[in-house]
Coordinates of all heavy atoms in Angstrom, one line a residue:
Q1 N 0.8 -1.2 0.0 CA 0.0 0.0 0.0 C 0.9 1.2 0.0 O 2.0 1.2 0.4 CB -0.9 0.0 1.2 CG -2.0 -1.0 1.2 CD -3.0 -0.8 2.3 OE1 -2.7 -0.4 3.4 NE2 -4.3 -1.2 2.0
R2 N 0.3 2.3 -0.5 CA 1.0 3.6 -0.4 C 1.2 4.0 1.0 O 0.2 3.9 1.8 CB 0.2 4.6 -1.2 CG 0.9 6.0 -1.4 CD 0.0 6.9 -2.2 NE 0.0 6.4 -3.6 CZ -0.9 6.8 -4.5 NH1 -1.9 7.6 -4.1 NH2 -0.9 6.3 -5.7
E3 N 2.3 4.5 1.3 CA 2.6 4.9 2.7 C 3.1 6.3 2.7 O 3.8 6.8 1.8 CB 3.6 4.0 3.4 CG 5.0 4.0 2.8 CD 6.0 3.3 3.7 OE1 5.8 3.1 4.9 OE2 7.2 3.1 3.2
L4 N 2.8 7.0 3.8 CA 3.4 8.4 4.0 C 4.8 8.3 4.5 O 5.2 7.6 5.4 CB 2.6 9.1 5.1 CG 3.0 10.5 5.5 CD1 2.9 11.5 4.4 CD2 2.3 11.0 6.8
V5 N 5.7 9.0 3.8 CA 7.1 9.0 4.1 C 7.4 10.2 5.1 O 8.2 10.0 6.0 CB 8.0 9.1 2.9 CG1 9.4 9.3 3.2 CG2 7.7 7.9 2.0
G6 N 6.9 11.3 4.8 CA 7.2 12.5 5.6 C 6.3 13.6 5.3 O 5.6 13.6 4.2
T7 N 6.2 14.6 6.1 CA 5.4 15.8 6.0 C 6.1 17.0 6.3 O 7.0 17.1 7.1 CB 4.2 15.7 7.0 OG1 3.5 14.4 6.8 CG2 3.2 16.8 6.8
I8 N 5.8 18.1 5.5 CA 6.3 19.4 5.8 C 5.0 20.2 6.1 O 4.1 20.3 5.3 CB 7.2 20.0 4.7 CG1 7.7 21.4 5.2 CG2 6.4 20.1 3.4 CD1 8.8 21.9 4.4
F9 N 5.0 20.8 7.3 CA 3.8 21.5 7.8 C 3.9 23.0 7.4 O 4.9 23.4 6.8 CB 3.7 21.4 9.3 CG 3.5 20.0 9.7 CD1 4.6 19.2 10.1 CD2 2.2 19.4 9.7 CE1 4.4 17.9 10.5 CE2 2.0 18.1 10.1 CZ 3.1 17.3 10.5
I10 N 2.8 23.7 7.6 CA 2.7 25.1 7.2 C 3.8 25.9 7.8 O 4.3 26.8 7.1 CB 1.3 25.7 7.6 CG1 0.2 24.9 6.8 CG2 1.2 27.1 7.3 CD1 -1.2 25.3 7.2
D11 N 4.2 25.6 9.0 CA 5.3 26.4 9.6 C 6.7 25.8 9.3 O 7.7 26.2 9.9 CB 5.1 26.4 11.1 CG 5.2 24.9 11.7 OD1 5.3 24.0 11.0 OD2 5.1 24.8 13.0
D12 N 6.7 24.9 8.3 CA 8.0 24.3 7.8 C 8.6 23.3 8.8 O 9.7 22.8 8.5 CB 9.0 25.3 7.4 CG 8.7 26.0 6.1 OD1 7.8 25.5 5.3 OD2 9.2 27.0 5.7
D13 N 7.8 23.0 9.8 CA 8.3 21.8 10.6 C 8.1 20.6 9.8 O 7.3 20.5 8.9 CB 7.4 21.8 11.9 CG 8.0 20.8 12.9 OD1 9.1 20.4 12.8 OD2 7.3 20.5 13.9
T14 N 8.8 19.6 10.1 CA 8.8 18.3 9.4 C 8.6 17.1 10.3 O 9.0 17.2 11.5 CB 10.0 18.1 8.5 OG1 11.2 18.2 9.3 CG2 10.1 19.2 7.4
D15 N 8.1 16.1 9.7 CA 8.0 14.8 10.4 C 8.2 13.7 9.4 O 7.9 13.8 8.3 CB 6.6 14.7 11.1 CG 6.5 13.5 12.0 OD1 7.5 13.2 12.6 OD2 5.4 12.9 12.1
Y16 N 8.7 12.6 9.9 CA 9.1 11.5 9.0 C 8.7 10.1 9.7 O 8.7 10.0 10.9 CB 10.6 11.5 8.7 CG 11.1 12.8 8.2 CD1 11.6 13.8 9.0 CD2 11.1 13.0 6.8 CE1 12.0 15.0 8.5 CE2 11.5 14.2 6.3 CZ 12.0 15.2 7.1 OH 12.4 16.4 6.6
V17 N 8.5 9.2 8.8 CA 8.3 7.8 9.3 C 9.7 7.3 9.8 O 10.7 7.8 9.3 CB 7.8 6.9 8.1 CG1 8.8 6.8 7.0 CG2 7.3 5.6 8.6
D18 N 9.6 6.4 10.8 CA 10.9 6.0 11.5 C 11.9 5.5 10.5 O 13.1 5.7 10.7 CB 10.6 5.0 12.5 CG 9.9 5.6 13.8 OD1 9.9 6.8 13.9 OD2 9.4 4.8 14.6
S19 N 11.5 4.8 9.5 CA 12.4 4.1 8.6 C 13.3 5.1 7.8 O 14.3 4.7 7.2 CB 11.6 3.2 7.6 OG 10.7 3.9 6.9
V20 N 12.9 6.4 7.7 CA 13.7 7.3 6.9 C 14.2 8.4 7.7 O 15.0 9.3 7.2 CB 12.8 7.9 5.7 CG1 12.2 6.8 4.9 CG2 11.8 8.9 6.2
K21 N 13.9 8.5 9.0 CA 14.4 9.5 9.9 C 15.9 9.6 9.8 O 16.6 8.5 9.9 CB 13.9 9.3 11.3 CG 12.5 9.8 11.5 CD 12.1 9.6 13.0 CE 10.7 10.1 13.2 NZ 10.2 9.9 14.6
G22 N 16.5 10.8 9.7 CA 17.9 10.9 9.7 C 18.5 10.8 8.3 O 19.7 11.1 8.1
R23 N 17.7 10.3 7.3 CA 18.2 10.1 6.0 C 17.5 10.9 5.0 O 18.1 11.4 4.0 CB 18.0 8.6 5.6 CG 18.8 7.6 6.5 CD 18.7 6.2 5.9 NE 17.4 5.7 5.8 CZ 16.8 5.2 4.6 NH1 17.5 5.4 3.5 NH2 15.6 4.7 4.6
F24 N 16.2 11.2 5.2 CA 15.4 12.0 4.3 C 15.1 13.3 4.8 O 14.9 13.5 6.0 CB 14.1 11.2 4.0 CG 14.2 10.0 3.1 CD1 15.4 9.4 2.9 CD2 13.0 9.4 2.6 CE1 15.5 8.2 2.1 CE2 13.1 8.3 1.8 CZ 14.3 7.7 1.6
T25 N 15.0 14.3 4.0 CA 14.7 15.7 4.4 C 13.7 16.3 3.4 O 14.0 16.3 2.2 CB 15.9 16.6 4.5 OG1 16.9 16.0 5.4 CG2 15.6 18.0 5.0
I26 N 12.6 16.8 3.9 CA 11.6 17.5 3.0 C 11.8 19.0 3.2 O 12.0 19.5 4.3 CB 10.2 17.1 3.4 CG1 10.0 15.6 3.3 CG2 9.2 17.9 2.6 CD1 8.6 15.2 3.7
S27 N 11.7 19.7 2.1 CA 11.8 21.2 2.1 C 10.8 21.7 1.0 O 10.3 20.9 0.2 CB 13.2 21.7 1.8 OG 13.7 21.2 0.6
R28 N 10.6 23.0 1.0 CA 9.7 23.5 0.0 C 10.2 24.9 -0.4 O 10.8 25.6 0.3 CB 8.3 23.6 0.5 CG 8.0 24.6 1.6 CD 6.5 24.8 1.7 NE 6.0 24.2 2.9 CZ 4.7 23.9 3.0 NH1 3.8 24.2 2.0 NH2 4.2 23.4 4.1
D29 N 9.9 25.2 -1.7 CA 10.1 26.6 -2.2 C 8.7 27.1 -2.6 O 8.2 26.7 -3.7 CB 11.1 26.5 -3.4 CG 11.4 27.9 -3.9 OD1 10.6 28.8 -3.8 OD2 12.6 28.1 -4.3
N30 N 8.1 27.9 -1.8 CA 6.8 28.3 -2.0 C 6.7 29.2 -3.3 O 5.7 29.1 -4.1 CB 6.2 29.1 -0.9 CG 6.0 28.3 0.4 OD1 5.7 27.1 0.3 ND2 6.2 28.9 1.5
A31 N 7.7 30.0 -3.6 CA 7.7 30.8 -4.8 C 7.7 29.9 -6.1 O 7.0 30.3 -7.1 CB 8.9 31.7 -4.8
K32 N 8.4 28.8 -6.0 CA 8.4 27.9 -7.1 C 7.3 26.9 -7.1 O 7.2 26.0 -8.0 CB 9.8 27.2 -7.2 CG 11.0 28.1 -7.5 CD 12.3 27.4 -7.6 CE 13.4 28.3 -7.9 NZ 14.7 27.6 -8.0
K33 N 6.5 26.9 -6.0 CA 5.5 25.9 -5.8 C 6.0 24.5 -6.0 O 5.4 23.6 -6.6 CB 4.3 26.1 -6.9 CG 3.6 27.4 -6.7 CD 2.4 27.5 -7.7 CE 1.6 28.8 -7.5 NZ 0.4 28.8 -8.4
T34 N 7.1 24.3 -5.3 CA 7.8 23.0 -5.4 C 8.2 22.5 -4.0 O 8.6 23.2 -3.2 CB 9.1 23.1 -6.3 OG1 8.7 23.6 -7.6 CG2 9.8 21.8 -6.4
V35 N 7.9 21.2 -3.8 CA 8.3 20.5 -2.6 C 9.4 19.5 -3.0 O 9.3 18.8 -4.0 CB 7.1 19.8 -2.0 CG1 7.5 19.1 -0.7 CG2 5.9 20.7 -1.8
Y36 N 10.4 19.4 -2.1 CA 11.6 18.6 -2.4 C 11.7 17.4 -1.4 O 11.2 17.6 -0.2 CB 12.8 19.4 -2.3 CG 12.9 20.5 -3.3 CD1 12.6 21.8 -2.9 CD2 13.2 20.3 -4.6 CE1 12.6 22.9 -3.8 CE2 13.2 21.4 -5.6 CZ 12.9 22.6 -5.1 OH 12.9 23.7 -6.0
L37 N 12.3 16.3 -1.8 CA 12.6 15.2 -0.9 C 14.0 14.9 -1.2 O 14.4 14.3 -2.2 CB 11.7 14.0 -1.1 CG 11.9 12.8 -0.2 CD1 11.7 13.2 1.2 CD2 11.1 11.6 -0.6
Q38 N 14.9 15.2 -0.2 CA 16.3 14.9 -0.3 C 16.4 13.5 0.4 O 16.1 13.4 1.5 CB 17.2 15.9 0.4 CG 18.6 15.6 0.4 CD 19.3 15.6 -1.0 OE1 19.0 16.5 -1.8 NE2 20.1 14.6 -1.3
M39 N 16.9 12.5 -0.4 CA 17.1 11.2 0.1 C 18.6 10.8 0.1 O 19.2 10.7 -0.9 CB 16.3 10.2 -0.7 CG 14.8 10.6 -0.9 SD 13.9 9.3 -1.7 CE 14.6 9.4 -3.3
N40 N 19.1 10.6 1.3 CA 20.5 10.2 1.5 C 20.6 8.8 2.0 O 19.6 8.2 2.5 CB 21.2 11.1 2.4 CG 21.2 12.6 1.9 OD1 21.2 12.8 0.7 ND2 21.2 13.5 2.8
S41 N 21.7 8.2 1.9 CA 22.0 6.8 2.4 C 20.9 5.9 2.0 O 20.3 5.2 2.8 CB 22.1 6.9 3.9 OG 23.2 7.7 4.3

């Protein structure tokens, strides 16, 4: 099933599923209307 990996909230706080914590980072550029997922390791 599709699963949630992480969230970026309105205040730019973030939360992640345990399996990706410390490896994945979500960010956003509101001007570009783009959300990013940086995936390391």
Side-chain angles (χ1 to χ4, degrees):
Q1 289 189 330
R2 187 175 291 161
E3 66 168 345
L4 176 68
V5 173
T7 303
I8 184 164
F9 297 94
I10 294 174
D11 62 357
D12 285 346
D13 193 13
T14 54
D15 189 34
Y16 304 93
V17 67
D18 285 346
S19 60
V20 307
K21 280 182 180 177
R23 300 189 298 121
F24 289 12
T25 304
I26 298 176
S27 60
R28 67 165 108 201
D29 185 327
N30 292 329
K32 294 182 178 180
K33 295 186 177 183
T34 301
V35 184
Y36 302 98
L37 179 65
Q38 177 67 43
M39 305 187 295
N40 298 329
S41 302

